[in-house]
């Protein structure tokens, strides 16, 4: 039943795939055995309809398994629902076995709501209801091969509408609950990966980006750079303005860094007053130019706290990650280069190649 599922899909998509597989299998075997029963009863038109439906159910399942795309899933579900509704309409027209055919229409609302979702499922079910009403209440039973009493027709439609309402209410509630759960999950994941003070990625969040960049670098055989920046004399800021003032400096510096990096670059709070930059598909020389521009902008952007304006600077260490130098070693070298920048006078950018 899990054919076609993937760890890359979210839980809702995998659940729909499993249900489609299950419904297709059940529908295929039920219609197949009912078709054999119709053959045994010499009702060959009904047997043909049932056996063709059995084949369509099987095809819909195979489409989903073999075409593992959103388009393939839509085609499979559309084929399955179309076959189901067509079969229900035919059973209503012909009466099926001993005029019990219309009783099968109760399978339509829950199946349609689940596969198509609340809005599209409700629309499809309403259209199906109109079709059944036309078939049942056309004057002189012009569209029917079977004969039903007016009381049976009325009660069938009313009970069907009740099942439709309950199915729609359940699907609406289920989707709302799922959307809320997904939203909360995303928020918790975001909080777990972002620094609450600066709103930049934290160490955990940027580690995932490093892993992704490392994989992409190996795949494309293209180097990238990391840089570590440390706010100069940050202890003196805390001593002068207190931790509240220090937090304000961290936030202002974070804004400068995030506003001045390139679109595809990443900046994160690495810890304390340290920041980590990732420069994808960038050589050390190119990363030096970007880091130098960021350093200059920060140095030329005085920060005002409690009405007092003062200059904040930062020292950078830059290192290129390549096939000959993994990311852990590169981070260590970038850290060493940053401390070299501090020892050389601060407010400068030092490449790891200069160590």
């Amino acid at each position: 039943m899990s054919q076609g599922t993937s760890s890359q899909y979210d839980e809702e998509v995998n659940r729909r795939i499993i249900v489609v597989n299950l419904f297709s299998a059940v529908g295929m075997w039920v219609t197949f055995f009912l078709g054999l029963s119709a053959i045994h009863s010499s009702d060959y038109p009904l047997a043909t309809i049932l056996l063709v439906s059995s084949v369509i159910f099987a095809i819909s399942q195979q489409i989903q398994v073999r075409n593992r795309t959103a388009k393939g899933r839509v085609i499979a579900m559309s084929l399955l629902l179309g076959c189901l509704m067509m079969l229900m309409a035919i059973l209503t027209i012909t009466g099926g076995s001993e005029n019990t055919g219309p009783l099968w229409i109760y399978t339509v609302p829950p199946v349609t709501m689940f596969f198509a979702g609340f809005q599209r499922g409700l629309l499809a079910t309403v259209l199906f209801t109109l079709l059944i009403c036309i078939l049942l209440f056309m004057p002189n039973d012009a569209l029917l091969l079977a004969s039903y009493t007016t009381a049976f027709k009325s009660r069938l439609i009313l009970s069907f509408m009740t099942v439709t309402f309950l199915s729609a209410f359940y699907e609406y509630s289920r989707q709302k609950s799922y959307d809320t759960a997904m939203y909360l999950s995303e928020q918790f994941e975001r909080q777990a990966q972002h620094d609450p003070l600066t709103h930049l990625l934290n160490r955990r969040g940027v580690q995932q980006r490093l892993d992704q960049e490392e994989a992409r670098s190996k795949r494309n055989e293209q180097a990238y750079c990391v840089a570590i920046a440390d706010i100069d004399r940050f202890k003196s800021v805390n001593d002068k303005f207190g931790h509240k003032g220090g937090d304000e400096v961290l936030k202002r510096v974070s804004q400068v860094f995030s506003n001045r990096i390139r679109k595809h670059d990443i900046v994160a709070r690495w810890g304390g007053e340290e920041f980590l930059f990732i420069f994808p598909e960038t050589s050390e020389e190119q990363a030096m130019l970007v880091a130098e521009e960021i350093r200059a902008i920060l140095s030329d952007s005085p920060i005002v706290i409690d009405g007092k304006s003062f200059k904040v600077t930062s020292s950078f260490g830059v290192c290129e990650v390549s096939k000959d130098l993994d990311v852990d070693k590169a981070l260590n070298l970038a850290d060493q280069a940053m401390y070299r920048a501090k020892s050389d006078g601060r407010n400068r950018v030092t490449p790891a190649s200069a160590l």
Side-chain angles (χ1 to χ4, degrees), residues 7-113:
S7 58
Q8 298 178 349
Y9 302 151
D10 62 34
E11 181 183 350
E12 181 73 359
V13 171
N14 280 328
R15 194 160 69 94
R16 288 183 186 276
I17 291 173
I18 291 173
V19 174
V20 167
N21 289 339
L22 178 62
F23 189 83
S24 298
V26 172
M28 179 184 67
W29 289 112
V30 168
T31 51
F32 177 74
F33 285 116
L34 288 176
L36 294 181
S37 176
I39 292 175
H40 185 264
S41 302
S42 299
D43 190 347
Y44 298 115
L46 178 60
T48 301
I49 293 169
L50 291 168
L51 292 176
V52 169
S53 299
S54 178
V55 172
I56 294 176
F57 282 132
I59 291 174
S60 67
Q61 195 265 344
Q62 287 301 309
I63 289 175
Q64 179 174 256
V65 171
R66 297 179 184 277
N67 188 354
R68 296 191 176 191
T69 62
K71 183 179 179 180
R73 292 192 295 273
V74 170
I75 292 174
M77 286 189 285
S78 300
L79 186 60
L80 190 151
L81 291 176
C83 176
L84 176 65
M85 292 182 177
M86 177 196 69
L87 179 59
M88 296 303 104
I90 292 173
L91 288 176
T92 300
I93 293 170
T94 63
S97 177
E98 299 179 359
N99 272 18
T100 60
L103 300 179
W104 289 94
I105 68 173
Y106 295 109
T107 61
V108 172
V111 172
T112 305
M113 297 291 177

Side-chain angles (χ1 to χ4, degrees), residues 117-286:
F118 170 71
Q119 292 183 335
R120 287 178 292 182
L122 182 59
L123 176 61
T125 307
V126 168
L127 294 176
F128 176 75
T129 305
L130 291 175
L131 172 63
I132 296 300
C133 287
I134 292 171
L135 294 176
L136 290 176
F137 295 103
M138 182 67 71
N140 302 318
D141 292 341
L143 300 177
L144 296 175
L145 299 178
S147 179
Y148 310 109
T149 65
T150 302
F152 174 82
K153 295 176 185 178
S154 300
R155 290 169 183 170
L156 178 70
I157 292 299
L158 288 175
S159 58
F160 180 78
M161 290 173 66
T162 302
V163 172
T164 298
F165 170 77
L166 293 174
S167 298
F169 180 76
Y170 169 78
E171 181 60 23
Y172 176 81
S173 301
R174 191 192 67 80
Q175 284 190 6
K176 283 295 182 183
S177 298
Y178 177 78
D179 291 343
T180 300
M182 289 300 296
Y183 173 78
L184 292 175
S185 176
E186 289 172 1
Q187 291 301 307
F188 289 146
E189 183 65 20
R190 176 176 175 79
Q191 290 175 9
Q193 294 190 3
H194 286 77
D195 174 53
L197 178 65
T198 64
H199 303 297
L200 299 178
L201 288 170
N202 58 19
R203 202 178 188 100
R204 175 186 173 186
V206 78
Q207 187 61 56
Q208 292 186 8
R209 301 298 181 89
L210 281 170
D211 294 340
Q212 294 171 3
E213 190 58 39
E214 182 75 0
R216 183 170 68 171
S217 175
K218 290 179 179 179
R219 185 170 60 251
N220 299 337
E221 296 185 353
Q222 202 162 17
Y224 67 99
C225 277
V226 293
I228 294 179
D230 186 87
I231 299 175
D232 296 327
R233 297 187 174 89
F234 186 71
K235 185 177 182 301
S236 64
V237 174
N238 279 329
D239 292 340
K240 186 175 182 179
F241 297 101
H243 289 291
K244 185 177 180 180
D247 288 346
E248 187 63 29
V249 168
L250 285 169
K251 289 192 287 186
R252 300 286 182 86
V253 170
S254 299
Q255 290 173 359
V256 171
F257 286 169
S258 58
N259 289 338
R260 298 303 177 180
I261 59 175
R262 298 170 302 177
K263 185 177 180 180
H264 56 283
D265 295 336
I266 297 168
V267 60
R269 188 178 179 189
W270 193 233
E273 64 271 22
E274 285 189 347
F275 296 83
L276 173 66
F277 294 81
I278 303 175
F279 302 120
E281 300 178 2
T282 304
S283 66
E284 185 181 79
E285 183 179 357
Q286 293 169 329

